[in-house]
Amino acid sequence: MSVDAADRTRPAECPESEARVNVWATPAFWWRVGIVLVVLWGLVAGERRLAYFTTQSNVIVFAYFAGALYWMVRRGRAAPPAPILRGGVTTWILTTMVVSHVLLNHFENPIPGLFVADPTDQLANRAIFAMHYVVPLMVLVDWVAFGPHRVVRWRDAAWWLAYPAVYGLLFLWRALALPEVPDRFPYPFLDTDALGALGSLLEMLRVVAYIAVLGLVVMALDRLAWWVGTRLRRARPVAEASV
């Protein structure tokens, strides 16, 4: 039996069957308001260029969660829309954090940069920190804490690779076809001058493979959150009966 088939043997949380609630009183609503505000601050607190995956992924987070807030208020439900897209948004913004911290900064501690003496550099560093670390972790908490869980199938995670793969191929073509364009190489693994076209392609595929693993981690956290929530709900009546 496949993993997806095994998932279908158990009832999943179904956002469509959720009763209308006062979303203004839910923690999920205000957490998502926080995500939108932090993303917005990170985007406007410095110069941002759309060529960078960091900028694009944060814009996507802003658009998704702003739309989710509207959806929640309009429909009176705490569950956000488009769960497959939500998983993709979570994976893409976590990719921003992992690529920045591991591949670009080689595990360098970003905290000292938040307290440099120069106020201009301090603001820039704090905005980048928000986009590289705060927003990804807030989105991950939203994915784990608020659900709904087990509405996305394991094989749906394959769709989450489409955007990073298209991004990489587009910017490889851009570097080769438009050598005078600004920000020709947004990332070292797209540097066709240093690596050659084939080398850059192989490096890009390696990054996409890392993203695939990250997507599976996102799916595993979803299942783990469902399992923990199920156990807690089952234990609550037992605890209340023993009082």
Side-chain angles (χ1 to χ4, degrees):
M1 180 182 293
S2 69
V3 173
D4 284 343
D7 276 350
R8 288 195 295 271
T9 63
R10 300 187 298 269
E13 299 174 16
C14 183
E16 293 302 322
S17 62
E18 183 182 353
R20 290 183 66 88
V21 298
N22 179 12
V23 297
W24 300 91
T26 61
F29 179 85
W30 292 107
W31 185 260
R32 289 161 188 161
V33 169
I35 291 175
V36 169
L37 293 177
V38 173
V39 173
L40 184 61
W41 180 80
L43 289 172
V44 303
E47 182 182 357
R48 303 289 170 247
R49 298 182 181 179
L50 201 56
Y52 288 92
F53 193 88
T54 293
T55 303
Q56 292 188 17
S57 60
N58 275 269
V59 168
I60 290 171
V61 167
F62 176 82
Y64 175 80
F65 281 96
L69 291 173
Y70 173 79
W71 168 278
M72 291 169 67
V73 172
R74 183 69 181 269
R75 296 176 64 90
R77 292 173 176 167
I84 295 177
L85 176 60
R86 181 180 176 225
V89 171
T90 303
T91 301
W92 302 331
I93 196 65
L94 288 175
T95 297
T96 293
M97 181 177 69
V98 171
V99 168
S100 170
H101 189 68
V102 178
L103 297 183
L104 301 182
N105 295 323
H106 308 291
F107 300 96
E108 181 180 353
N109 183 7
I111 300 300
L114 305 180
F115 303 99
V116 295
D118 185 87
T120 301
D121 290 342
Q122 184 184 97
L123 177 62
N125 290 343
R126 290 183 176 184
I128 287 295
F129 181 83
M131 298 173 69
H132 281 168
Y133 296 96
V134 179
V135 173
L137 291 176
M138 290 183 74
V139 172
L140 180 61
V141 169
D142 182 87
W143 173 259
V144 173
F146 298 122
H149 299 298
R150 291 188 66 250
V151 297
V152 180
R153 298 166 297 182
W154 285 92
R155 66 170 177 264
D156 291 330
W159 291 105
W160 304 343
L161 302 180
Y163 162 52
V166 170
Y167 172 90
L169 291 173
L170 176 62
F171 276 85
L172 279 178
W173 170 85
R174 176 177 176 267
L176 295 171
L178 305 170
E180 305 302 324
V181 72
D183 300 318
R184 185 184 176 201
F185 308 120
Y187 297 101
F189 48 82
L190 297 175
D191 188 342
T192 54
D193 285 350
L195 302 174
L198 180 59
S200 293
L201 178 62
L202 293 176
E203 284 297 298
M204 186 206 75
L205 292 176
R206 181 169 68 96
V207 173
V208 171
Y210 293 156
I211 298 172
V213 174
L214 190 57
L216 293 178
V217 171
V218 168
M219 285 295 301
L221 289 173
D222 171 76
R223 297 307 193 262
L224 178 61
W226 172 85
W227 183 85
V228 171
T230 300
R231 294 301 182 273
L232 290 176
R233 286 191 294 272
R234 290 176 179 174
R236 191 177 299 124
V238 176
E240 291 175 352
S242 63
V243 174

